[in-house]
Amino acid sequence: VALGQVEAPEETEKAETSEDAEPVEDIYGGPWGIIKHTGYIPVALWAVLTAAVTGAVSYFFTPGDYTWIALSVLGFMTGVIAAVDRKTHLIKNQHTILTAILTVPLAVWAGINLGGWPILFGLLSAAVVFGVFIFLVIKANFGSGGDIKFSPVPAFALGVVNPLISALWLFYALIITVILLIVRKEKSTSFGEGMAISLPFAIFSVYALYSMTGLAYMEPATL
């Protein structure tokens, strides 16, 4: 069974045997219904913690005055998706679209404040990560269609700051997902968790790399 593939609960299996069964992605009652099914507390915890950690790391270790705002919002929405994906192995199109609506304009705003060119880097990062995810899902049977559609959104926001953050985010997400798969001893796991957990690690890693090499990258924010 591939990573990110749906492992349906009993009611799902029963629904699929019925002639009037709804598509698997619709059995939870839409984007809000799937959050209710996941549980408000797990969703809130994932969203708030991911936003807080990602926002804090971004505030101190990314350039620009507004970058941390975009990445905090990205962390919040990715946390929501991580919780839902963990429970249902689904990433709804509506959640991906909402993440893009909330995140992309903020990332563009941050890119403009960084000089404008970073927006192009974000677009290139999104295209590369999108292509890698297509390869992983189609050729390696690793992931799902929801992962493919969601991946360009964080890749763009991170790539605006630095394309290397986007690359490391993808790498860390893969590693974390494999680790979770091994630790849990399951046949499948959710890629959403890896995408959420890897956000602050990717951001800090690039700052640390540039700091150790002495290359000009950013001046960390000060209190």
Side-chain angles (χ1 to χ4, degrees):
V1 182
L3 294 177
Q5 184 174 338
V6 176
E7 286 192 342
E10 286 186 12
E11 58 268 25
T12 303
E13 295 176 358
K14 293 178 181 178
E16 290 177 325
T17 61
S18 171
E19 294 181 359
D20 299 325
E22 296 179 80
V24 173
E25 62 270 18
D26 293 332
I27 63 171
Y28 298 108
W32 185 253
I34 202 170
I35 289 178
K36 182 179 179 180
H37 173 80
T38 302
Y40 297 129
I41 293 177
V43 171
L45 286 175
W46 266 102
V48 172
L49 286 175
T50 306
V53 176
T54 303
V57 173
S58 302
Y59 179 81
F60 287 103
F61 303 113
T62 60
D65 296 328
Y66 310 106
T67 306
W68 70 273
I69 299 176
L71 297 185
S72 295
V73 174
L74 174 65
F76 184 91
M77 290 305 302
T78 306
V80 171
I81 285 173
V84 171
D85 197 20
R86 168 59 183 147
K87 179 72 173 182
T88 67
H89 294 280
L90 291 171
I91 297 179
K92 300 286 287 184
N93 291 335
Q94 293 93 331
H95 294 155
T96 297
I97 293 170
L98 179 59
T99 304
I101 291 173
L102 295 176
T103 303
V104 171
L106 291 173
V108 170
W109 180 39
I112 292 173
N113 281 276
L114 290 172
W117 281 105
I119 297 174
L120 176 60
F121 300 149
L123 291 173
L124 292 174
S125 298
V128 170
V129 168
F130 182 71
V132 171
F133 264 95
I134 290 178
F135 173 82
L136 289 172
V137 173
I138 296 178
K139 298 297 184 180
N141 200 26
F142 191 104
S144 69
D147 300 324
I148 292 177
K149 289 178 279 189
F150 178 74
S151 63
V153 180
F156 172 77
L158 297 170
V160 166
V161 183
N162 190 300
L164 185 55
I165 298 179
S166 182
L168 283 179
W169 167 74
L170 174 59
F171 175 74
Y172 288 160
L174 290 170
I175 296 301
I176 291 170
T177 302
V178 171
I179 291 173
L180 291 175
L181 182 68
I182 294 173
V183 170
R184 291 170 175 167
K185 299 180 181 179
E186 298 175 347
K187 292 182 179 180
S188 69
T189 190
S190 67
F191 213 82
E193 292 174 287
M195 290 193 285
I197 296 171
S198 63
L199 283 173
F201 289 104
I203 295 166
F204 180 76
S205 293
V206 171
Y207 168 77
L209 177 63
Y210 275 78
S211 297
M212 288 187 295
T213 57
L215 297 174
Y217 169 48
M218 63 184 71
E219 292 183 6
T222 55
L223 293 174

